[in-house]
Amino acid sequence: MASHTSFTGLGTRVAVRTFLMFCACAVVPSLLVTTLGYRIVSASFHEQADNRLHDATKAYGLLLFERLRQADELLYELAGAALKDELGANQLTRFESSRLRIVDITTMTDDANPVTDVSGATDAKDSLVLSTQKIGQEPEVSLTIKRSDGVRTVSIVGALQNDYLWDNDAILLSQAQLCVHLQDGGILHCSGEPVTDDSALTSNWSLFLPPRYHAAPWSIRATQANTALGTLASLRRTTLVVTIASILIALLLSVVQIRRSHYPLTQLTQAARRMGKRRFDTRLTISSKDEYAKLGRAFNTMTRSLSRQFLLLRTLARIDRLILEEPSMALLVKRVLPSLPRLLESPAVALVLQTNEELTAYVARIRSPAIQVFRLQGKTLSALERACGDADFELAAADCMEMSEALACRRVLGLRIDVGTRLAGVLLLSRNERLTNATQRRQARPLARRFAIALGSEERRVTLLRQAYYDALTGLPNRQLFKDRLEQDLARARQTGTSLALLYIDLDRFKNVNDSLGHSVGDQLLCEVGKRFSASLSGSDTLARLGGDEFVVIAASHDLEPAHVLVERLQASLAEPVVIQGSQCFIRASFGVTVYPRDGEDAESLLRHADTAMYRAKSSGRGGMAYFEEAMNREVQYRLHVEQRLRIALRERTLRLAYQPKINLLDGSIHGVEALARWQDVELGYVSPTVFIPIAEECGLIEELGAWALLEACTVFAKCLSEGLNLQHVSVNASMRQLHDARFLEDVGHALRVSGIPPGSLEIEVTESMLADNPTEAAATLNRLRDLGIRVAIDDFGTGYSSMAALSALPADVLKIDRSFVDGCDANPTTASVVEAIISMAHVLGKVTVAEGVETREQLATLRRLGCDFVQGYLFAQPLPGDALAQLPLQVAAWTELLSNCHPRQSPARLRA
Ligand code: C2E
Ligand code: CA
Ligand code: CA
């Protein structure tokens, strides 16, 4: 199209077509008129020339005739005079001199005899004869006249003067030749230049001579160069020039007119095309005062409206995208609000939002791109809510004076921004008097709706973020956020070359609180601890709750304050008891500390090491703190290896039980055997139960191990019984985790059923420290065991700091005095008194005592003296494999012997039936 139009310079196809039609209209009629006119004019010219020539020919003929007549009359007169003899010589001479210049008298006869006339007849009348002849080139026309009076006959022959006869001056004929032809075709006379032109005009006229002159008629022929042709040629030239000129003028004018009318069309087309490419800034300027200008104005109005519509849609789409990507009101205000005044054709637009008890107005004005922020203290949305009615609203001073100033307008329109059913904000538009209230509202409504959606999604997002990154109970950062912060802090420390400390905190015996006082108290305690810790930290530190009773602190200010100082402060914050529902809770915590970069480079290892350190702190006593050491890490590696191997050992049943006898101090007889786990691993070698039992407890293998030990011990005991060996009792150690497991009682029942031994032969040993940690639930399980007739022994008694009250309530039949007391009882009187106290207390409470780890005779003697009931220790026997149990009775004699050398027992044991 462009190439087509560019060469015509007319712009459009329509213009070209119009131009061609103009051409046809201008050229065809003018050519037709010119051609036809020319033809008519040319024909009339020719006719006129012909007529003129004919007239001239005729006039010449008549002239010749007249001259002949004059000559013949002269001769006649002369002949008459001669007849009367009046013609003397003088007279003749006079005649000749005056009149005969037209005629030359060649002969004159006077005859007395009548003459015969020319025709031969004798005539008495007058005769006239004209004769012609050519003498050389010159023609000679002569007249012969005869007059007779009956007697005499006078005959005169006169030759007409050529100059006189042929003179054609009277005939105005230019560029013409006049010739007189005789009948035989010969040319008598020619005057004028011969005309050779092919287009010459000719005209003939016959001069009839016979009646008067008795001669053949002359033919007068005129030949004239066609003078009309010259005129016609100039006419043709003129006509051509005029025609071409008028056509050119017509074309020029048509082009001008076409351009004038089609230029706006081209503009419109281009503008429409630009609109098609979404360039809405297109404006038409058509300066003419015709319909095109009106069309242009209509087009501009349409573009403006379309552009606004499009901008509105684009803005809405942008808001939608923002809502989907990052529904943040702040971002929306920054990116979208400035464009609203122009879009909504409002001098100022304000977004009023309720944020934490405060009203904030963001105002954008059409003339300034910056957003102004107003905090409207003490104002509520309900003051503006009335502006959201249908009518215009006058902002009164009471509503928001600042608002009216900010909007520079008192008359406003308000649109509600509702999140759910709650009014969350108001979109205020200052009134544009050129638009109707309804139009302004219609334009702004979708935006208000979008703001509502954005606000709703932002709120939801904040809630989700809160849920995802903050602990619901304490409001502290959760594990996820803690990891993010730690990564950030580590990156910063890496950059600045500073160090940071990580504190792993575990509350001591928190489970007790939960179990004894209930979970709601536990929750309140955790919240209070969180608050106290937070209050003790600096702004750059992060406190997070990892779950349960575990907290962590990222101490970014480690370079300024060593971690242990911070730990002391945190410990001090727990010094005051926490009062919940009237009851006082004393709580303490164990702290494990790692330092970047010394103890680890990355977040994961730092956290793992801090955890390890915390365990170390816990095992070294409650309320303690430990820095991580590399040795701890090796220990952890080892523990992991043990755990891995232990799983295999349990699966492949490579664990064994060893049995250590308990001896009755009365007579040295076997009171029972304690089953102790033994593990010889191919990779780890011999692993002590003091190592693998805690690991099994930690990693959840203890239930399986305990169930196996129960069944194995009972089976071996049953086998001994069946072989006639009565070992009295078999003791199986149970860990705390087992006591909390509902399957434990089932496992016990299963072992009894499968082995078939009486419940009274089975004894379950539980360590005192474990019981002290969590007495209630364990006590219930132990009571159930005792109800089944199974004996319960408190292991390692004396290490668990049980209170007297707790001790008296302990559902146990046996107290096993810990080896640490046995160890010094013979040499140390204090220890001896403690042991004595334990024994007498046990007896008061109706329980029997077993002393563990008896290695020397002195110890044995002391224990016997102090009234202990039974003993167990290397002095009597090491733990033996199951198949060696049959040998035991053989040693009883030696044991009795051993006892007889000691001081006798003070008081007999009161054994439970
Ligand atoms: P425990 O129940 O207090 O077991 C007594 C420990 O003292 C045994 O160590 C035993 O070999 C050792 N022992 C006995 N007489 C003497 C002595 O005269 N001198 C010294 N120095 N030690 C003596 P062992 O077998 O290493 O067991 C350690 C602990 O492992 C046990 O302490 C018990 O708490 C736990 N344990 C062992 N087997 C099992 C089991 O099957 N289940 C559970 N839950 N715990 C077990
Ligand atoms: Ca034990
Ligand atoms: Ca023990």
Side-chain angles (χ1 to χ4, degrees):
M1 182 80 192
S3 63
H4 173 80
T5 55
S6 60
F7 83 91
T8 62
L10 288 171
T12 63
R13 271 176 201 276
V14 178
V16 173
R17 204 181 303 141
T18 317
F19 176 71
L20 292 178
M21 273 157 68
F22 258 106
C23 288
C25 292
V27 173
V28 173
S30 49
L31 281 181
L32 264 176
V33 166
T34 316
T35 322
L36 283 176
Y38 178 76
R39 285 208 171 182
I40 291 165
V41 170
S42 139
S44 119
F45 262 55
H46 280 292
E47 198 183 321
Q48 274 178 27
D50 272 345
N51 287 346
R52 247 194 336 267
L53 195 60
H54 182 71
D55 289 349
T57 316
K58 188 178 168 184
Y60 190 49
L62 291 175
L63 191 67
L64 285 181
F65 192 77
E66 181 62 32
R67 282 175 185 165
L68 286 174
R69 220 178 43 81
Q70 268 187 10
D72 85 51
E73 277 176 7
L74 186 66
L75 289 176
Y76 194 77
E77 247 180 77
L78 210 60
L83 268 184
K84 288 176 202 171
D85 288 331
E86 291 170 1
L87 193 62
N90 287 345
Q91 249 177 325
L92 198 62
T93 311
R94 191 174 35 93
F95 176 83
E96 280 187 342
S97 64
S98 65
R99 300 180 60 182
L100 285 191
R101 59 188 154 86
I102 57 173
V103 187
D104 288 332
I105 309 293
T106 50
T107 48
M108 194 160 171
T109 54
D110 196 342
D111 201 344
N113 300 320
V115 287
T116 15
D117 68 15
V118 185
S119 60
T122 309
D123 193 356
K125 284 192 267 176
D126 306 336
S127 72
L128 181 63
V129 174
L130 183 139
S131 62
T132 53
Q133 66 174 46
K134 268 209 131 160
I135 301 164
Q137 283 293 311
E138 289 295 307
E140 193 181 89
V141 176
S142 50
L143 286 169
T144 308
I145 196 153
K146 263 182 204 172
R147 281 192 80 164
S148 167
D149 55 5
V151 181
R152 280 170 56 199
T153 305
V154 174
S155 167
I156 301 172
V157 176
L160 271 85
Q161 282 273 325
N162 272 342
D163 288 347
Y164 164 70
L165 181 61
W166 305 116
D167 178 20
N168 62 356
D169 281 355
I171 309 302
L172 284 166
L173 213 54
S174 62
Q175 295 176 44
Q177 189 179 44
L178 279 169
C179 288
V180 178
H181 292 255
L182 296 172
Q183 200 165 29
D184 61 3
I187 296 174
L188 189 61
H189 170 78
C190 273
S191 65
E193 289 295 309
V195 177
T196 51
D197 195 350
D198 287 347
S199 59
L201 299 172
T202 55
S203 179
N204 290 312
W205 196 77
S206 185
L207 181 60
F208 201 57
L209 297 172
R212 190 175 176 95
Y213 295 105
H214 302 99
W218 287 354
S219 170
I220 298 163
R221 177 172 297 169
T223 315
Q224 189 181 28
N226 199 343
T227 50
L229 284 181
T231 322
L232 277 177
S234 92
L235 174 70
R236 202 165 48 225
R237 265 197 308 280
T238 316
T239 321
L240 198 68
V241 168
V242 169
T243 312
I244 290 175
S246 57
I247 288 176
L248 283 180
I249 289 172
L251 295 188
L252 192 73
L253 287 178
S254 72
V255 167
V256 168
Q257 185 52 32
I258 288 169
R259 280 182 149 240
R260 194 180 278 175
S261 55
H262 283 268
Y263 179 60
L265 207 63
T266 318
Q267 271 187 308
L268 267 168
T269 316
Q270 285 170 354
R273 221 174 272 155
R274 276 203 296 277
M275 289 251 304
K277 288 176 187 160
R278 297 185 178 175
R279 285 167 51 191
F280 289 106
D281 51 343
T282 307
R283 290 285 177 277
L284 278 181
T285 40
I286 299 174
S287 48
S288 63
K289 293 193 173 72
D290 51 13
E291 284 71 16
Y292 284 116
K294 277 189 198 164
L295 187 60
R297 280 196 294 277
F299 184 87
N300 285 345
T301 315
M302 183 187 78
T303 3
R304 256 201 303 279
S305 133
L306 271 180
S307 128
R308 220 184 3 266
Q309 288 285 329
F310 195 77
L311 200 65
L312 180 67
L313 287 178
R314 241 196 349 223
T315 310
L316 293 180
R318 215 159 105 223
I319 299 179
D320 289 346
R321 223 175 21 248
L322 275 175
I323 293 174
L324 283 178
E325 283 167 6
E326 196 185 342
S328 135
M329 251 348 235
L331 210 64
L332 220 59
V333 165
K334 200 173 116 199
R335 298 237 184 112
V336 176
L337 193 62
S339 63
L340 293 195
R342 198 165 294 279
L343 187 66
L344 300 176
E345 295 178 283
S346 177
V349 174
L351 184 65
V352 188
L353 297 176
Q354 179 86 53
T355 38
N356 319 326
E357 311 297 312
E358 194 183 63
L359 218 52
T360 311
Y362 303 91
V363 182
R365 247 159 302 150
I366 206 159
R367 287 211 173 71
S368 106
I371 292 176
Q372 283 187 301
V373 183
F374 294 87
R375 309 239 173 255
L376 311 174
Q377 266 140 3
K379 300 281 176 2
T380 57
L381 273 180
S382 55
L384 290 170
E385 197 173 3
R386 283 181 292 130
C388 303
D390 270 335
D392 293 8
F393 182 78
E394 284 262 344
L395 275 178
D399 297 321
C400 289
M401 195 61 209
E402 305 98 310
M403 279 305 313
S404 113
E405 273 168 24
L407 289 165
C409 167
R410 290 174 75 85
R411 277 156 61 72
V412 295
L413 284 181
L415 285 103
R416 299 176 65 94
I417 297 176
D418 285 314
V419 175
T421 50
R422 172 175 59 89
L423 182 70
V426 170
L427 185 65
L428 285 179
L429 315 179
S430 56
R431 279 290 281 123
N432 177 348
E433 301 302 338
R434 285 189 298 110
L435 299 176
T436 64
N437 185 320
T439 310
Q440 270 198 295
R441 268 180 197 288
R442 200 182 52 243
Q443 289 178 350
R445 197 156 292 130
L447 284 158
R449 234 172 267 142
R450 291 303 197 288
F451 281 131
I453 294 172
L455 217 56
S457 344
E458 186 181 26
E459 285 177 9
R460 271 195 300 283
R461 186 163 155 269
V462 168
T463 316
L464 280 178
L465 262 182
R466 188 140 271 291
Q467 285 168 357
Y469 289 106
Y470 290 88
D471 172 42
L473 177 66
T474 57
L476 292 173
N478 65 6
R479 184 180 287 270
Q480 187 58 45
L481 184 57
F482 155 73
K483 277 188 176 165
D484 289 355
R485 296 254 176 102
L486 183 56
E487 294 288 0
Q488 283 171 17
D489 288 347
L490 277 176
R492 199 171 310 124
R494 244 171 246 134
Q495 265 177 6
T496 53
T498 49
S499 67
L500 67 79
L502 194 66
L503 275 55
Y504 204 112
I505 309 168
D506 189 282
L507 300 187
D508 296 336
R509 295 186 187 172
F510 174 72
K511 210 168 179 323
N512 281 0
V513 179
N514 253 353
D515 290 344
S516 55
L517 301 173
H519 284 266
S520 98
V521 173
D523 287 351
Q524 288 178 54
L525 182 67
L526 285 173
C527 287
E528 179 59 26
V529 169
K531 273 185 205 149
R532 290 192 185 183
F533 282 171
S534 291
S536 315
L537 293 172
S538 80
S540 59
D541 300 338
T542 301
L543 171 69
R545 179 178 172 228
L546 296 187
D549 58 346
E550 291 174 0
F551 294 84
V552 274
V553 172
I554 308 168
S557 54
H558 177 253
D559 283 334
L560 307 171
E561 179 188 62
H564 58 263
V565 179
L566 176 61
V567 169
E568 268 165 36
R569 210 168 48 245
L570 291 174
Q571 279 170 329
S573 75
L574 299 181
E576 287 293 309
V578 182
V579 182
I580 298 164
Q581 293 170 0
S583 55
Q584 284 194 336
C585 287
F586 286 94
I587 189 87
R588 288 200 297 177
S590 301
F591 295 77
V593 182
T594 41
V595 177
Y596 166 86
R598 191 186 67 201
D599 301 331
E601 288 282 335
D602 58 298
E604 204 196 319
S605 56
L606 279 172
L607 188 65
R608 204 176 55 239
H609 293 168
D611 187 20
T612 308
M614 189 278 292
Y615 269 101
R616 169 60 55 91
K618 197 146 259 193
S619 61
S620 65
R622 310 283 167 174
M625 165 208 152
Y627 274 103
F628 172 77
E629 289 160 26
E630 195 47 41
M632 286 185 207
N633 199 18
R634 280 198 298 277
E635 185 185 307
V636 170
Q637 297 293 336
Y638 177 74
R639 284 166 80 97
L640 274 176
H641 195 185
V642 169
E643 178 190 333
Q644 187 195 352
R645 293 301 304 167
L646 187 60
R647 285 181 196 279
I648 297 169
L650 281 169
R651 198 167 59 233
E652 296 178 351
R653 303 229 172 270
T654 51
L655 284 175
R656 295 282 171 266
L657 284 178
Y659 301 89
Q660 189 177 31
K662 294 179 223 175
I663 286 90
N664 192 336
L665 286 187
L666 274 181
D667 51 10
S669 64
I670 299 172
H671 172 63
V673 286
E674 180 182 0
L676 294 159
R678 291 290 174 265
W679 180 27
Q680 181 72 40
D681 184 67
V682 281
E683 281 182 19
L684 298 164
Y686 175 77
V687 186
S688 159
T690 52
V691 174
F692 70 79
I693 293 296
I695 293 174
E697 280 174 350
E698 262 169 46
C699 62
L701 289 172
I702 195 68
E703 286 88 353
E704 192 184 344
L705 192 151
W708 163 81
L710 266 170
L711 187 60
E712 174 73 9
C714 292
T715 311
V716 167
F717 185 83
K719 187 168 169 266
C720 290
L721 267 187
S722 69
E723 284 167 4
L725 173 64
N726 190 351
L727 295 170
Q728 306 293 332
H729 303 105
V730 61
S731 306
V732 179
N733 292 285
S735 89
M736 203 59 195
R737 262 188 85 134
Q738 280 172 279
L739 288 196
H740 290 303
D741 185 8
R743 276 183 312 178
F744 178 65
L745 288 172
E746 286 172 28
D747 291 341
V748 172
H750 176 74
L752 289 178
R753 266 195 314 282
V754 170
S755 62
I757 65 166
S761 302
L762 181 61
E763 187 177 87
I764 299 294
E765 293 189 12
V766 201
T767 52
E768 189 209 356
S769 59
M770 287 179 182
L771 275 176
D773 275 348
N774 193 353
T776 7
E777 199 179 341
T781 312
L782 296 180
N783 275 323
R784 298 279 294 282
L785 286 175
R786 292 178 82 205
D787 291 345
L788 290 173
I790 297 162
R791 286 160 54 105
V792 172
I794 306 299
D795 211 348
D796 305 340
F797 191 82
T799 59
Y801 317 105
S802 295
S803 64
M804 266 307 283
L807 192 63
S808 60
L810 268 183
D813 308 285
V814 185
L815 296 187
K816 292 188 80 174
I817 301 163
D818 191 67
R819 197 159 59 82
S820 55
F821 297 104
V822 173
D823 199 16
C825 68
D826 53 331
N828 189 332
T830 320
T831 314
S833 355
V834 172
V835 173
E836 186 176 16
I838 293 174
I839 292 170
S840 47
M841 186 176 66
H843 289 165
V844 168
L845 292 171
K847 305 174 198 305
V848 294
T849 51
V850 181
E852 288 185 301
V854 181
E855 291 178 353
T856 60
R857 285 164 189 268
E858 291 74 29
Q859 287 167 355
L860 176 67
T862 312
L863 288 165
R864 217 175 170 218
R865 180 172 55 82
L866 294 178
C868 187
D869 303 300
F870 310 101
V871 288
Q872 184 180 352
Y874 296 164
L875 180 63
F876 297 92
Q878 295 263 346
L880 306 166
D883 48 20
L885 283 174
Q887 314 292 321
L888 274 183
L890 304 178
Q891 298 188 36
V892 173
W895 298 336
T896 315
E897 170 69 22
L898 197 62
L899 286 175
S900 61
N901 296 333
C902 297
H903 189 278
R905 262 188 91 241
Q906 271 188 340
S907 59
R910 288 190 294 271
L911 283 168
R912 260 170 57 98

